[in-house]
Amino acid sequence: MSKRMAHSNIYSLSLQLLMIASLLFITCAAHAQDLFFNQFQLAPLATNPGQPGVMQEAQVAINYRNVPVGAGETFNTSQLSAFYPMGFGKHQFVFSGSFYQERISEFFTTTGATLGAALSIAITEKSELSFGTQATLFGTQIQEDFTTDSQFINGVFIPTAASGEISNFTSGNAISASSGLYWQLRGDSEVTKAFAGISLFNFTQPDRAVTEGFADEPSVTYKATLGYEVFRRKGFAIFPSALAISRRGQQWLQAGGLLTYDLIQQDQSTKQIGFGGWYNTNESVMLSLQYQQHNLAVAFSFNLPSGDDLAIARDGVFEIALNYRISKRKEGLTKAIKE
């Protein structure tokens, strides 16, 4: 009975803390742009630098996002990430790194790499609090072979004609820093029962301009996440979750949940399928189909517009997330936490 009361108190406290954090995020201003994936819980380095701290296994992950922006152009974002935990006593360090690229048309790209570390502290046998920070080195580049309307004369493209654009250089490099705090509660079967996190991205605001005389600073972005399993019975589980973001003086909320079902095989290994739906206050609905087992997780999502504004950009947005666990679960760490 006391154990249930303790868990109840932890849930209540986490909800209160995240409500306060969400209010702070909504009232804070922000200034520009950073990595974003709708499947935020499957993209920790783009959501909360503290989230990797609760990982107990070495992992590699791939995230891909495709956004049509009209006129036959697409906005593509891809990220390859790796995580390596090192446990000591009841706590652990998790080192992380990633490489990503954003392409906004055929001639404009942003390439970046992140390097981070997170420290996880065991609060109880089943809960951890993690603080993480990461540095991001990125460069924005304009391809030399880009074309403009000025190079079309009488309807004919002439590559030797002046582009009409003045640019003293076509690339810009910068380093930014981000940090986050993340809490997680695990169940008896080591599955996540609840999580909460707050993070701050690009608080150093370096200038990454590709044209002289024009500043281009990445946004200071505030993010808050919350998830809590409200139902589990006979293999079925319902897990509501939400992501709140404040950036450039704009705020939006993505809220919904995931319905999962555990498939028990003959060898007693658990495989899980899930279907999720989230509503974003930017007038879009995201649907997700997921499959996971111990070593592998795959998720696919698709966006549908719920309003007329920017319907082209939202219609056809899809994401793919792939996560592969390299090592077996660290039984020694779990035993040390219990002791």
Side-chain angles (χ1 to χ4, degrees):
M1 184 65 181
S2 60
K3 187 175 182 180
R4 291 183 178 179
M5 291 180 64
H7 283 172
S8 177
N9 291 335
I10 292 174
Y11 292 152
S12 177
L13 178 60
S14 64
L15 289 174
Q16 293 176 19
L17 289 175
L18 207 51
M19 287 178 64
I20 295 173
S22 299
L23 291 174
L24 290 175
F25 278 37
I26 292 174
T27 57
C28 290
H31 308 280
Q33 179 177 319
D34 64 294
L35 280 177
F36 172 77
F37 293 99
N38 275 318
Q39 301 180 111
F40 58 90
Q41 190 58 16
L42 301 177
L45 297 183
T47 306
N48 189 324
Q51 185 176 338
V54 300
M55 296 181 179
Q56 297 186 28
E57 301 160 313
Q59 305 178 27
V60 292
I62 297 175
N63 296 89
Y64 176 78
R65 175 177 171 84
N66 181 281
V67 182
V69 293
E73 296 288 353
T74 58
F75 179 16
N76 299 323
T77 304
S78 55
Q79 183 179 33
L80 172 64
S81 308
F83 310 91
Y84 186 78
M86 296 181 63
F88 59 98
K90 297 181 180 180
H91 318 304
Q92 69 174 1
F93 267 114
V94 178
F95 298 96
S96 63
S98 76
F99 175 83
Y100 74 88
Q101 184 178 75
E102 293 180 316
R103 296 194 62 185
I104 313 174
S105 79
E106 295 181 357
F107 61 87
F108 190 82
T109 62
T110 297
T111 302
T114 68
L115 185 63
L119 172 63
S120 176
I121 299 175
I123 301 176
T124 66
E125 179 183 332
K126 295 295 184 179
S127 66
E128 301 96 10
L129 182 65
S130 174
F131 173 78
T133 185
Q134 68 184 31
T136 303
L137 170 64
F138 53 89
T140 302
Q141 182 176 17
I142 297 177
Q143 302 296 330
E144 296 291 347
D145 58 351
F146 71 91
T147 63
T148 68
D149 291 341
S150 299
Q151 294 174 290
F152 286 86
I153 300 175
N154 296 326
V156 178
F157 172 64
I158 301 177
T160 57
S163 66
E165 297 290 337
I166 300 175
S167 180
N168 294 331
F169 49 92
T170 57
S171 64
N173 301 309
I175 298 178
S176 69
S178 308
S179 62
L181 191 65
Y182 190 83
W183 170 82
Q184 176 181 271
L185 178 68
R186 293 172 286 110
D188 294 335
S189 57
E190 299 300 318
V191 298
T192 301
K193 302 290 289 186
F195 66 85
I198 55 175
S199 58
L200 174 61
F201 282 82
N202 302 321
F203 56 81
T204 53
Q205 284 195 284
D207 187 3
R208 60 179 181 182
V210 297
T211 302
E212 190 173 0
F214 293 90
D216 179 19
E217 298 177 346
S219 62
V220 174
T221 304
Y222 305 86
K223 298 183 180 182
T225 57
L226 175 66
Y228 173 56
E229 184 183 275
V230 297
F231 175 83
R232 176 172 290 275
R233 185 177 181 183
K234 295 183 178 180
F236 286 96
I238 299 176
F239 200 109
S241 62
L243 166 68
I245 299 178
S246 176
R247 182 175 64 195
R248 273 195 177 183
Q250 298 180 346
Q251 300 81 35
W252 66 91
L253 175 69
Q254 180 171 303
L258 183 68
L259 171 65
T260 63
Y261 177 68
D262 295 335
L263 304 172
I264 307 299
Q265 304 298 323
Q266 293 181 352
D267 59 359
Q268 299 301 311
S269 63
T270 302
K271 299 180 180 180
Q272 185 185 87
I273 57 174
F275 177 77
W278 290 263
Y279 174 75
N280 197 309
T281 53
N282 67 4
E283 297 185 342
S284 67
V285 176
M286 192 266 285
L287 303 177
S288 175
L289 180 64
Q290 303 184 14
Y291 168 81
Q292 68 175 4
Q293 55 189 37
H294 176 68
N295 292 327
L296 179 68
V298 181
F300 174 84
S301 71
F302 188 82
N303 272 43
L304 297 173
S306 60
D308 296 331
D309 296 338
L310 298 178
I312 294 178
R314 293 180 187 132
D315 188 12
V317 177
F318 72 88
E319 289 185 10
I320 299 174
L322 179 84
N323 184 287
Y324 179 73
R325 297 180 178 89
I326 299 175
S327 61
K328 295 182 179 179
R329 185 170 299 279
K330 297 181 182 295
E331 297 295 345
L333 177 61
T334 303
K335 181 179 180 181
I337 292 176
K338 289 182 178 179
E339 292 176 352

